[in-house]
């Protein structure tokens, strides 16, 4: 029996010899002739058979039949049907036969193959011949079926099979005689009788009969057979395989086939595991395009075969030595795999089904296996499977727990699929998305854990090494992370396999700092375990690693030295760990001695290279923060940093320098003395900088101090009391007179460099002071007294004021003296791109940087030139989507500032020799008086070199929680806002680092300091949570100051600046409104970035803390009007509502001050609404019972509606010049975002679009200029192109949404209501009106950008509109007038587009011509769709095609194609007369480029 293979419907009858093997008659039976003695009851039977030529009584064997079988059957049929006494003769024959076969021996004789009279060869049995006699067939069938129960085998074997052979099993012989009959006289009666007997048969015989049903019955009885088998299957599931076999071989029609599929699907839950493979194979091979979806859906829903046991049960079975997986599970996978390979359409349907699932709860464990099986079957679908896997992992649909149930404890099952899992893991680790890479890491570690054989583990390691060598930064990083996890858990097992991973060392040259850390972490751990091994081969691995890092550290190239430093410090961290219990062999040095030796070696090799020494200090500092080192090592570090005082400090007397000396001709003085006369020391910055041309020790000053503070904290229980004098000590800097008046102009180029570098090093020194001493207030140490803590807080605020002053001064100085600042830390390439690693610019430089120093004698020609250039830039910006990007565009998108974007005086790429020229030759503005500088303004000149500064650590953000109300004549918060603004900008930069993934790297954060890159988002948020309430406080303060205006006490900043020791330089001032606006902007931006972080949803506590910090005083009861909500304080919905209300109030206030602030507020509102949606999606399933259902149903639409209202308010607000900040210039992107928010969140987008284009937009446009529009003042000449593009985009989006709606309405099951159809047609009409209005505007405008947008979006609109013609055709009879009018209206736009295309070709406007082919194809298809619509509907309309005259946009004929004989039909010239019920439908075709 061939299982589950559909036979040919035209089944051929097999030969009798092969179908009915001759049974052997027992000798005992043959030797007893008395059983064959004639009896009166059989006389008539024998006589009738004898007349037909058949000998019934044959002592030597079975009855003999004549050689002419057909003659025998004809004779018997004639005798029983057409003779005079046929009924009686037939009755006597059947009675005799019934009596004769009562003897078991006689029954076997009649069932045995008979011998022919002439040849004597075995043929068909007597019963078989009699069954082919039509007149007695049914009676004989019933007779045999009634005899069947007498021969049931009462002792079947345990396997369910009969204990008798076929020759001895009479029941099976009887059934065998019913197979392949030439005909069946009464199939229904025979089938009914057979089914009755079948229901009482033993299991083995029941399976035999069910499997033979396709060979016994005819196709006309299939329905009865299916129904009977369904009932039997419900009573006894053990026959399911035989039933499926029978169903497979029955020739069923479509209805019965669907019924059979339904029966099989109902068995999935109840069937035994051993039978499941047969059921699945039957279902999948019986699938058709009509039932693909149903079968796949039911299999996914009900099949449970792998992963049911939890990890504890698997562990217990492992301990007992039992295999968790049995053969049935492997057979199920094999059945699925073979079926999917046989039918490729099944794979397509499965992928379609899985791709359509949205909710994580809808995904099953079987989905993972289905994807893996499809992945194995061929390369054609592998890419698609990989993409689905990645998508599901990113969306959280496929989770770690599901995967663990597929692999953990199932080694035997997964063995065959091991290569596919490896291949899929490689793909996941190469993805850019972090969640996909994390899942790939999980797969690798699970495979390594489950497969303990050497071959499998070598395959895992080999795959990881391949990824490490790929050169893709995120893939390398993830592969090394996986290596680190394996080493941490299986170090001893990996040592013998170390030759397989040592090839990673060949790729070190291409790694960034972060990956170098991971590499050496892996090899250091292996080396540590290898040293503890007595095996000499293993211990040699550690020696080889030490030899490699020593060579790298001794290399003269900084690149290789950097690699060696990371390696040596990682080795030192492993070998010198105080908690390390491993010890090397007796013949080797101790681990501590080895660590101390390589540290000394590294330090000695870096003394001549300041950057290398900086890196050594920074890495060593981070090492001490992460691990507890051996006391011997700590003692050595303490001795080394003890040299800090002799290197960088000098003694002072009474707060004054003991001796006043000049350095490079510069006088020095003490700045920023917080301790006054009691300060015993000062920091020698000026002397060190002046001597730095011979010695570069000052470059390592910040890193050295960082190491000093770290060792002080670790050796004094976290206290910095031993070095607290450094917090208040003064700085020896150049005299402040050089920054005032003619002092700067009197300096030479070298002196200017010394001055700038002194300020630069001073700023970085203060940064490190803040990093160090903020730990004293952030940690809340018990040993710190309240007075000491208050003193530290006061000094920290003063130092922050010093830092703001110094960087403003440095920014001013760098703008007047071009200088490339030295690097003070080693950069970490965040993006992994060698190109971006060379760019030290930032993304926060504005598009048009304003020069701080301007020349008064600039000529009017230059002004006109700049004006023209600005217009060109505006045109270029508006047309940026229509031109091919250049390499400079790519760099600008990456956040880099090119030389074309930054004025020359801000460039940092000039060499020191170039910058040493006289200032009069480079900066003519030096002759003018210094301008007034706003202290809160962004340091634009420094932005390009900001990455070289020392980083402020996260703990410095705690200063935002502090406040100082002293040394001032009154409490003016404006004097403190510049300090908080500085920290808010730093928070902004840090958030940018986390929110800009690999797709978009900024110049600032493509390179980041070592250590910061190893901080996760959750770690950062945990440390930053404490500042959330302070953000709200500063936000409210800024709003209050904006309301009060600019009036303030100007002495506040100066008094507090003087108390901090800042020199009196009068060029700096503080504008109250400016600093308040910037603080408000930064707080809103930071709030928006934090709430948009994907990781924040994983930590609900941090999210709620953020929302709680931005709560209003009270939430009004009518905030959610129309929704019955009872918000409980403290719940997520309450906090979201409060935060939204508070930011909305900020927006209302900001409309009175600044367009920029109002826009930032609107974007923040959008982020809150988006976060609500994400929060609901994330927690709805887990916390569905706890969340307010009314909030889920009603709050989101209400928030969206309020968001749209706020956007409309901004668009309709009349902004004066004071609130616009440089007018509408460069406001296009923001207006675009606001307009999109307004349209997306409107009640009826199509109606709003129609209203705007018909009234506000069209009426505001007159010729080439824009007039004032009372509805939308933001619609003007500067923003017109932005509005035009957005309206086109949203209108196309609305149309595509309508297309989906009409497709649903057109489905057979969708019963469209008349009102629904009418509303849909109205929306379509609105959409057509919009595109017509927008395209028609091109007739009165000569802007190429506008024409290009019209051609591009017009063509896309027509292409999408084609998809609604089926719907229009179905509704034509009811809504004929509106449909025809819609077609006529759209033709106005298509004719204008044709004219635009013709003109663009003639003028060779490539920005437009590239869009013409697709647009032309769409309009040509539109023409024939209209023709088909009118042709297939009995509308009474006629349709004809004509040629358009070639006219320009003004309607004038083009002279080159004007015809002398003007006899064309003028109907084609009227764009409004295209379709009419009384006139022919005119749609022109293309002729010489001027047609439609």
């Amino acid at each position: 029996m061939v299982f589950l293979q559909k036979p040919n419907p035209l089944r051929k009858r097999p030969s009798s010899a092969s179908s009915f093997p001759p049974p052997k008659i027992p000798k005992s039976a043959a030797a007893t002739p008395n059983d064959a003695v004639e009896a009166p009851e059989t006389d008539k039977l024998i006589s009738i058979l004898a007349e037909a030529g058949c000998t019934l009584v044959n002592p030597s064997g079975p009855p003999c039949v004549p050689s002419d079988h057909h003659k025998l059957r004809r004779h018997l049929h004639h005798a029983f049907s057409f003779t005079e006494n046929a009924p009686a003769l037939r009755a006597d024959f059947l009675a005799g036969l019934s009596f004769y076969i009562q003897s078991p021996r006689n029954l076997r004789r009649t069932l045995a193959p008979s011998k022919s009279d002439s040849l004597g060869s075995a043929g068909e049995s007597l019963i078989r011949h009699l069954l082919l006699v039509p007149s007695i067939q049914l009676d004989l069938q019933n007779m045999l079926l009634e005899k069947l129960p007498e021969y049931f085998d009462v002792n079947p074997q345990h396997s369910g099979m009969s204990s008798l052979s076929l020759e001895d099993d009479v029941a099976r012989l009887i059934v065998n005689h019913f197979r392949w009959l030439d005909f069946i006289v009464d199939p229904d009666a025979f089938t009914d009788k057979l089914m009755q007997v079948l229901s009482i048969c033993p299991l083995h015989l029941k399976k035999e009969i069910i499997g033979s049903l396709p060979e016994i019955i005819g196709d006309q009885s299939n329905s009865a057979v299916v129904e009977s088998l369904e009932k039997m299957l419900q009573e006894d599931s053990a026959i399911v395989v035989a039933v499926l076999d029978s169903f497979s071989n029955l020739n069923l029609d479509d209805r019965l086939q669907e019924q059979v599929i339904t029966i099989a699907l109902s068995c999935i839950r109840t069937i035994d595991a051993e039978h499941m493979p047969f059921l699945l194979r039957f279902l999948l091979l019986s699938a058709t395009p009509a039932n693909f979806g149903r079968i796949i859906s039911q299999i996914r829903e009900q099949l449970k075969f792998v992963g049911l046991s939890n990890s504890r049960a698997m562990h217990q079975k492992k301990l007992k030595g039992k295999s968790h997986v049995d053969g049935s599970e492997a057979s199920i996978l094999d059945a699925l795999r073979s079926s999917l390979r046989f039918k490729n359409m099944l794979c397509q349907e499965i992928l379609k089904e899985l791709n359509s699932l949205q909710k994580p709860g809808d995904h099953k464990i079987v989905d993972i296996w289905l994807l893996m099986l499809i992945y194995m079957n061929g390369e054609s679908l592998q890419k698609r499977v990989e993409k689905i896997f990645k998508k599901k992992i990113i969306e959280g649909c496929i989770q770690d727990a599901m995967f663990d149930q597929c692999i953990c404890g199932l080694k035997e099952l997964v063995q065959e699929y091991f290569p596919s899992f490896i291949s899929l893991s490689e793909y996941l680790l190469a993805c850019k998305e972090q969640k996909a890479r994390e899942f790939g890491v999980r797969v690798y570690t699970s495979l390594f854990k489950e497969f303990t054989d050497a071959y499998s583990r070598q395959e895992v390691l080999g795959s990881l090494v391949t990824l490490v060598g790929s050169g893709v930064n995120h893939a390398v990083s993830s592969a090394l992370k996986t290596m680190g996890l394996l080493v941490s858990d299986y170090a001893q097992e990996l040592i013998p396999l170390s030759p397989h991973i040592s090839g990673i060392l060949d790729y070190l040259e291409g790694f960034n700092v972060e990956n170098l850390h991971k590499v050496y972490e892996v090899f250091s751990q292996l080396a540590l375990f290898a040293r503890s091994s007595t095996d000499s081969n293993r211990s040699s691995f550690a020696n080889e690693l030490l030899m490699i890092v020593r060579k790298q550290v001794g290399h003269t190239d900084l690149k290789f030295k950097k690699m060696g430093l990371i390696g040596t410090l990682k080795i030192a961290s492993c070998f010198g760990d105080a908690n390390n219990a491993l010890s090397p062999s007796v013949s080797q040095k101790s681990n501590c001695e080895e660590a101390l030796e390589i540290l000394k070696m590294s330090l000695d090799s870096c003394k001549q290279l300041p950057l290398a020494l900086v890196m050594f200090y920074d890495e060593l500092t981070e090492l001490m923060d992460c691990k507890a080192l051996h006391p011997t090592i700590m003692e050595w570090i303490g001795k080394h940093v003890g040299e800090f005082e002799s290197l960088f400090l000098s003694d002072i007397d009474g707060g004054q320098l003991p001796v006043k000396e000049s350095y490079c001709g510069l006088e020095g003085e003490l700045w920023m003395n917080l301790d006054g006369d009691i300060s015993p020391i000062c920091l020698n910055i000026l002397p060190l900088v002046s001597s730095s041309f011979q010695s570069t020790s000052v470059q390592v000053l910040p890193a050295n101090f960082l190491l000093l503070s770290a060792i002080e904290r670790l050796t004094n229980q976290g206290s910095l009391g031993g070095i607290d004098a450094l917090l208040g000590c003064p700085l020896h800097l150049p005299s402040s007179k050089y920054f005032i008046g003619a002092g700067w102009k009197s300096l030479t180029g070298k002196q200017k460099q010394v001055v700038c570098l002194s300020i630069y090093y001073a700023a970085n020194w203060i940064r490190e002071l803040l990093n160090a001493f903020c730990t004293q207030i952030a940690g809340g140490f018990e040993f710190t007294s309240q007075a000491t803590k208050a003193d530290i807080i006061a000094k920290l605020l003063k130092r922050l004021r010093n830092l703001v002053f110094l960087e403003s001064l440095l920014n001013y100085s760098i703008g007047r003296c071009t200088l490339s600042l030295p690097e003070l830390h080693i950069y970490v390439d965040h993006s992994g791109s060698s190109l971006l690693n060379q760019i030290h610019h930032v993304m926060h430089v504005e598009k048009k940087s304003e020069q701080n120093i301007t020349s008064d004698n600039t000529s009017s020609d230059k002004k006109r030139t700049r004006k023209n250039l600005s217009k060109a830039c505006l045109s270029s910006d508006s047309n940026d989507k229509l031109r091919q990007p250049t390499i400079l565009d790519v760099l600008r998108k990456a956040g880099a500032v090119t030389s074309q974007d930054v004025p020359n005086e801000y460039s940092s790429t000039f060499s020191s020799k170039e910058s040493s020229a006289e200032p009069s030759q480079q900066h003519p503005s030096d002759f003018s008086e210094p301008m007034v500088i706003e202290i809160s303004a962004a340091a634009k000149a420094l932005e390009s070199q900001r990455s070289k500064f020392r980083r402020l650590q996260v703990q410095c953000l705690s200063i935002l929680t502090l406040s100082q109300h002293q040394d001032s004549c009154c409490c003016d918060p404006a004097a403190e806002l510049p300090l908080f603004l500085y920290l808010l900008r730093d928070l902004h930069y840090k958030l940018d680092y986390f929110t800009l993934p690999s797709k978009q790297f900024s110049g600032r954060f493509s390179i980041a300091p070592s250590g910061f890159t190893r901080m996760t988002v959750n770690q950062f948020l945990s440390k930053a949570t404490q500042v959330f309430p302070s953000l709200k406080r500063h936000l409210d303060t800024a709003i209050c100051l904006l309301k009060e205006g600019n009036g303030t006490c100007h002495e506040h900043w100066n008094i507090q600046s003087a108390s901090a020791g800042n020199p009196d330089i009068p060029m700096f001032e503080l504008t109250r409104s400016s600093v308040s606006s910037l603080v408000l902007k930064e707080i809103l931006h930071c709030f928006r970035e934090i709430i948009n972080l994907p990781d924040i949803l994983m930590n609900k506590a941090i999210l709620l803390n953020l929302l709680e910090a931005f709560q209003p005083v009270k939430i009004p009861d009518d905030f959610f009007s129309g929704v019955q909500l009872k918000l409980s304080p403290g719940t997520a919905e309450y906090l979201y509502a409060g935060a939204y209300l508070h930011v909305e109030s900020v927006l209302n206030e900001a409309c009175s001050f600044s367009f920029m602030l109002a826009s930032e507020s609107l974007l923040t509102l959008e982020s809150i609404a988006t976060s609500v949606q994400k929060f609901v999606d994330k927690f709805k399933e887990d916390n569905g019972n706890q969340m307010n259902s009314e909030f889920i149903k009603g709050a989101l639409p209400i928030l969206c509606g309020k968001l749209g209202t706020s956007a409309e308010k901004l668009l309709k607000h009349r902004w004066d010049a004071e609130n616009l900040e440089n007018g509408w210039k460069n406001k296009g992107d923001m207006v675009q975002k606001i307009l999109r928010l307004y349209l997306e969140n409107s009640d009826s987008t199509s109606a709003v679009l129609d209203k705007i284009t018909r009234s506000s937009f069209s009426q505001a446009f007159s010729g080439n200029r824009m007039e004032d529009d009372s509805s939308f003042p933001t619609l003007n000449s500067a923003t017109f192109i932005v509005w035009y593009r957005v309206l086109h985009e949203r209108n196309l989006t609305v149309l595509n949404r309508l297309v989906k709606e009409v497709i649903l309405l057109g489905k057979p099951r969708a019963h469209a209501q008349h009102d629904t159809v009418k509303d849909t047609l109205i929306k379509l009409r609105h959409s057509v009106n919009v595109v017509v209005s927008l395209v028609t505007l091109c007739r009165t405008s000569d802007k190429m950008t506008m024409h290009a947008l019209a051609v591009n979006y017009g063509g896309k609109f027509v292409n999408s509109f084609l998809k609604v013609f089926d719907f229009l055709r179905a509704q034509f009879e009811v809504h004929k007038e509106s449909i025809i009018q819609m077609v006529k209206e759209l033709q106005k736009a298509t004719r204008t587009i044709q004219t635009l295309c013709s003109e663009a070709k003639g003028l060779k406007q490539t920005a437009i011509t590239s869009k013409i082919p697709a647009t032309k194809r769409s309009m040509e298809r539109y023409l024939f769709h209209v023709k088909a619509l009118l042709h297939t509907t009995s509308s009474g309309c006629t349709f004809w095609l004509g040629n358009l005259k070639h006219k320009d946009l003004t309607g004038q004929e083009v002279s080159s194609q004007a015809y002398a004989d003007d006899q064309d039909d003028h109907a084609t010239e009227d764009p409004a007369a295209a379709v009419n019920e009384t006139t022919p439908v005119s749609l022109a075709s293309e002729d010489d480029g001027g047609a439609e």
Side-chain angles (χ1 to χ4, degrees), residues 1232 1235-1236 1239 1282-1290:
Q1232 177 175 291
L1235 181 57
R1236 283 175 176 167
L1239 296 175
V1282 172
W1283 277 72
Y1284 192 79
R1285 179 189 292 112
V1286 173
L1287 293 179
H1288 265 302
E1289 289 176 351
R1290 294 310 306 166

Side-chain angles (χ1 to χ4, degrees), residues 771 774 778 951-959 986-987 990 994 1012 1015 1019-1027:
N771 289 334
C774 277
R951 295 290 177 183
L952 287 176
Q953 302 300 326
V954 182
Q955 62 263 22
C956 293
L957 296 176
S958 61
I959 302 179
D986 186 74
L987 176 61
K990 288 179 169 60
F994 289 113
F1012 187 72
M1015 179 181 294
Q1019 291 172 344
F1020 174 78
L1021 289 176
S1022 299
K1023 295 182 178 180
T1025 305
Q1026 58 177 330
V1027 305

